[in-house]
Amino acid sequence: MADNESATFVLIHGGGSSGWDWHLVSPVLRELGHEVIAVDLPIEDKSTGVSEYADAVVEACGDRPNLVVVAHSWGGLVAPIVCSRIETELLVFVTAMVPLPGEAPNDWWDATGFSGLEPGDPEADAFYNGVPAELAEECNARGREQTGERDGEPSPLKAWPDVPTRFLLCRDDRFFPPEFMRGMVRDRLGITPDEIDGGHMIALARPRELAERLHRYWAELPR
């Protein structure tokens, strides 16, 4: 690791979304002395898949040092590919999907035993519980069509990247419930997740707490 005490946080959004999801987290990370990159994945391009999404992130990183790759939700399928292609100091999943090497994105749901939303729980409530109404409305309006054209293809990830990894579970998440996620993290990463109050869109609901937790993860890395 470089001697520089600041990091470059590389923030990867979830499915059907954009880098805007992180717009409240980014300034707090900058306050704490870090650089931030929030990438818009090319999800609307039918010719692209997780490999090209990872390429977009790698390109945005350039030659910056001290990279911390942070993935939310569906972005977890992209993050380890990024870490396998460029030198990374830390990988953080935030209530995110954790893939197996070679696993197609479409296969994740059945392979992990994900059962979907609870009956009678509207999708908007499952995503936005705890988010102020105006922010939820804006996030929904900014949503982008994710074609998923190539989501049936195997992931290009051949082996898990050799990088320290943390998982942050959201205790009030109604889309990826804590009970499900604890088992998924244990089975796929072999670790116990850390936990934080808040729902699935934690970056909008509790941006300062999330940013401070990410900063702490960086500070706790051995130098």
Side-chain angles (χ1 to χ4, degrees):
M1 181 183 297
D3 292 334
N4 188 344
E5 293 184 357
S6 66
T8 296
F9 281 89
V10 185
L11 309 177
I12 303 176
H13 62 78
S17 202
S18 71
W20 178 88
D21 288 1
W22 301 99
H23 79 285
L24 299 177
V25 173
S26 297
V28 183
L29 287 171
R30 293 188 179 104
E31 279 178 29
L32 294 168
H34 305 294
E35 186 173 353
V36 179
I37 300 170
V39 184
D40 287 338
L41 303 178
I43 59 175
E44 295 158 312
D45 185 345
K46 291 182 179 180
S47 70
T48 64
V50 288
S51 185
E52 288 75 22
Y53 299 169
D55 285 341
V57 177
V58 170
E59 182 177 359
C61 292
D63 59 357
R64 293 174 178 84
N66 296 347
L67 299 180
V68 177
V69 175
V70 182
H72 175 247
S73 196
W74 202 94
L77 303 182
V78 179
I81 305 173
V82 173
C83 295
S84 73
R85 293 180 177 175
I86 54 175
E87 184 175 350
T88 309
E89 303 295 343
L90 179 65
L91 169 58
V92 182
F93 292 94
V94 178
T95 190
M97 299 161 70
V98 178
L100 296 177
E103 183 176 64
N106 283 347
D107 292 343
W108 183 91
W109 308 94
D110 287 341
T112 59
F114 179 71
S115 59
L117 298 180
E118 292 296 322
D121 193 356
E123 185 172 303
D125 290 347
F127 274 102
Y128 295 119
N129 61 308
V131 177
E134 64 276 11
L135 276 176
E137 290 172 6
E138 184 169 1
C139 185
N140 194 51
R142 288 175 175 270
R144 297 187 295 149
E145 180 183 359
Q146 182 162 340
T147 68
E149 191 80 10
R150 294 176 53 194
D151 286 354
E153 298 178 6
S155 169
L157 187 68
K158 302 301 183 187
W160 197 257
D162 183 17
V163 57
T165 301
R166 306 290 291 262
F167 193 103
L168 185 59
L169 176 152
C170 297
R171 295 189 188 98
D172 307 306
D173 194 338
R174 301 211 307 251
F175 183 67
F176 285 148
E179 296 79 8
F180 164 74
M181 293 301 262
R182 291 185 189 107
M184 191 272 296
V185 173
R186 180 189 64 243
D187 294 344
R188 297 201 161 206
L189 291 176
I191 63 174
T192 299
D194 301 314
E195 302 192 9
I196 189 172
D197 290 337
H200 192 70
M201 299 301 288
I202 186 70
L204 298 178
R206 295 174 176 265
R208 179 163 290 276
E209 289 117 306
L210 176 56
E212 289 175 350
R213 183 70 67 100
L214 296 175
H215 169 72
R216 193 174 86 196
Y217 287 160
W218 168 254
E220 289 173 349
L221 282 178
R223 298 298 197 272

